[in-house]
Amino acid sequence: QVQLVQSGAEVKKPGASVKVSCKASGYIFTSYGISWVRQAPGQGLEWMGWISADNGNTNYAQKLQGRVMMTTDTSTSTAYMELRSLRSDDTAVYYCARGTYSNDYWGQGTLVTVSS
Amino acid sequence: DIQMTQSPSSLSASVGDRVTITCRASQGISNHLAWFQQKPGKAPKSLIYAASSLQSGVPSKFSGSGSGTDFTLTISSLQPEDFATYYCQQYNSYPRTFGQGTKLEIK
């Protein structure tokens, strides 16, 4: 069965970086893109970007350009999302989801807390 | 960016009711629309893609319709497990954008 398993919760100081992993199983990793979505406490869903697991092409939300990097490791079927220069308003649950268009399977979420 | 507007923002209903949630896009998106259900502390769950296609395993009590700019999600015969927050999302163009969510509560 398709599964996306994300890394554990992180606590970071303002200005630091965080790298969240998303390990896929149960399907051919390079056949689907991976999207990243975040959700601040009590808020709605915010699309962060997408990466092709086939060729590494990316598309990032403009507000995160320059701070976010999405990568994949096809040898381990793992996608990564790195966010730099963290601010308090980056505190959120970060989700990976399978798919370039609609997203059918989602990871369990990773809570990233940014606090001094 | 394409703005997605859901209505209502919250909705109270009773077990057994039929409810409809509306999602409007700020420009035409063909049928490139998905609906998700989210329960507190859980990841979103995909319900519908391509505006009206049910994801595998999703009960037929959920149905979607629409094309262009106006879309609806209908849930028939509400059960306790259906009370959650529902989001629409367009995937016609980048950046993908979500509606603000509709919280469905028990009356």
Side-chain angles (χ1 to χ4, degrees):
Chain A
Q1 73 283 20
V2 175
Q3 278 192 301
L4 298 174
V5 178
Q6 298 183 223
S7 48
E10 304 261 14
V11 179
K12 297 291 183 180
K13 293 192 182 304
S17 298
V18 69
K19 192 170 185 177
V20 178
S21 68
C22 170
K23 182 169 178 59
S25 61
Y27 71 97
I28 298 172
F29 182 65
T30 52
S31 294
Y32 295 82
I34 294 286
S35 300
W36 289 89
V37 173
R38 69 179 180 178
Q39 186 170 39
Q43 301 302 307
L45 302 172
E46 179 186 13
W47 183 83
M48 299 178 66
W50 160 88
I51 182 166
S52 167
D54 179 38
N55 58 24
N57 285 350
T58 55
N59 192 301
Y60 300 142
Q62 186 168 10
K63 70 177 285 188
L64 298 174
Q65 287 275 3
R67 289 205 301 136
V68 68
M69 179 179 294
M70 296 175 188
T71 56
T72 60
D73 181 345
T74 56
S75 68
T76 60
S77 299
T78 304
Y80 298 92
M81 186 285 299
E82 182 176 23
L83 190 59
R84 301 181 289 271
S85 301
L86 288 167
R87 309 187 291 243
S88 58
D89 62 355
D90 291 318
T91 293
V93 176
Y94 289 75
Y95 295 102
C96 62
R98 186 181 82 158
T100 298
Y101 303 102
S102 66
N103 301 122
D104 53 0
Y105 290 91
W106 292 61
Q108 83 277 18
T110 297
L111 175 61
V112 175
T113 303
V114 183
S115 173
S116 54
Chain B
D1 298 2
I2 297 175
Q3 185 172 356
M4 306 301 292
T5 304
Q6 287 181 234
S7 60
S9 295
S10 63
L11 176 59
S12 292
S14 300
V15 172
D17 283 355
R18 170 187 165 112
V19 298
T20 297
I21 298 168
T22 296
C23 179
R24 175 164 289 175
S26 60
Q27 63 191 75
I29 59 170
S30 185
N31 69 335
H32 301 145
L33 184 102
W35 288 97
F36 299 93
Q37 176 194 67
Q38 188 179 34
K39 296 180 180 179
K42 299 295 186 181
K45 174 186 176 182
S46 177
L47 299 175
I48 286 171
Y49 64 98
S52 60
S53 296
L54 220 55
Q55 281 288 0
S56 176
V58 173
S60 58
K61 64 190 300 181
F62 294 94
S63 63
S65 66
S67 183
T69 60
D70 294 313
F71 302 87
T72 59
L73 171 70
T74 299
I75 312 169
S76 62
S77 188
L78 280 171
Q79 296 302 304
E81 61 269 22
D82 300 328
F83 292 91
T85 300
Y86 292 84
Y87 294 93
C88 62
Q89 183 209 29
Q90 69 81 19
Y91 52 90
N92 188 71
S93 63
Y94 289 109
R96 309 307 195 208
T97 45
F98 290 91
Q100 80 279 17
T102 295
K103 187 172 185 178
L104 178 56
E105 299 174 303
I106 299 176
K107 186 183 290 185

